[in-house]
Amino acid sequence: MARRSSKRDYERGDRVGELIRRILAEEIEGLDDDRLHLLSFTGVEVDNELNVAKVYWSCFEGNDEEITQALIEHRGRLRKAVSSQARIRHTPSLEFAPDHGIREGARIEELLRGYEPNPEAN
């Protein structure tokens, strides 16, 4: 009998995190909450014991605290969706944090567009 390799392309926590991200993305579409209108989940980090999943989100509109509060209010429904759709023994608790990468990238692009190089500086 052939032995299965224990090495994989990425760790179990990464695979579970991506699964949770996809489930949450589908579930958020069904929520009727204007605060979560343009929300997207950018990543999920799961600890080694799969007890806690830190869910990173990004939104082009809205206040970070308000959006985080809305996610906390819907945490039970979101966790239930993960529990019913993911084939894992223990459903991790969900923690939410804003991902400022997209906003910061847009800000840097805006700054670079306004930059005019000085030809005399060479």
Side-chain angles (χ1 to χ4, degrees):
M1 181 171 182
R3 290 180 60 182
R4 292 173 56 179
S5 174
S6 62
K7 278 289 193 191
R8 297 196 182 205
D9 291 340
Y10 49 99
E11 297 295 319
R12 181 171 187 237
D14 296 335
R15 293 190 313 270
V16 171
E18 179 58 22
L19 175 63
I20 290 172
R21 189 194 64 76
R22 281 189 266 135
I23 292 169
L24 293 177
E26 289 176 11
E27 189 66 22
I28 204 79
E29 290 177 12
L31 294 178
D32 186 26
D33 192 327
D34 292 336
R35 298 173 292 182
L36 306 176
H37 178 62
L38 296 174
L39 180 84
S40 64
F41 294 111
T42 58
V44 177
E45 291 179 357
V46 182
D47 67 346
N48 291 337
E49 293 80 30
L50 304 179
N51 291 326
V52 178
K54 189 162 189 176
V55 181
Y56 293 96
W57 58 267
S58 180
C59 192
F60 290 108
E61 295 178 356
N63 179 321
D64 287 356
E65 291 84 23
E66 193 175 287
I67 294 169
T68 300
Q69 183 60 37
L71 289 168
I72 290 170
E73 290 172 14
H74 295 290
R75 181 182 354 224
R77 177 178 174 175
L78 296 172
R79 187 165 187 245
K80 185 176 181 180
V82 170
S83 176
S84 66
Q85 295 178 41
R87 293 183 186 155
I88 51 180
R89 287 185 189 179
H90 174 74
T91 305
S93 63
L94 303 176
E95 295 179 358
F96 300 100
D99 182 355
H100 297 291
I102 294 174
R103 287 184 190 170
E104 292 299 316
R107 188 178 71 80
I108 290 170
E109 282 186 23
E110 183 179 320
L111 290 172
L112 290 174
R113 276 193 296 261
Y115 173 74
E116 295 180 22
N118 184 356
E120 296 175 8
N122 292 333

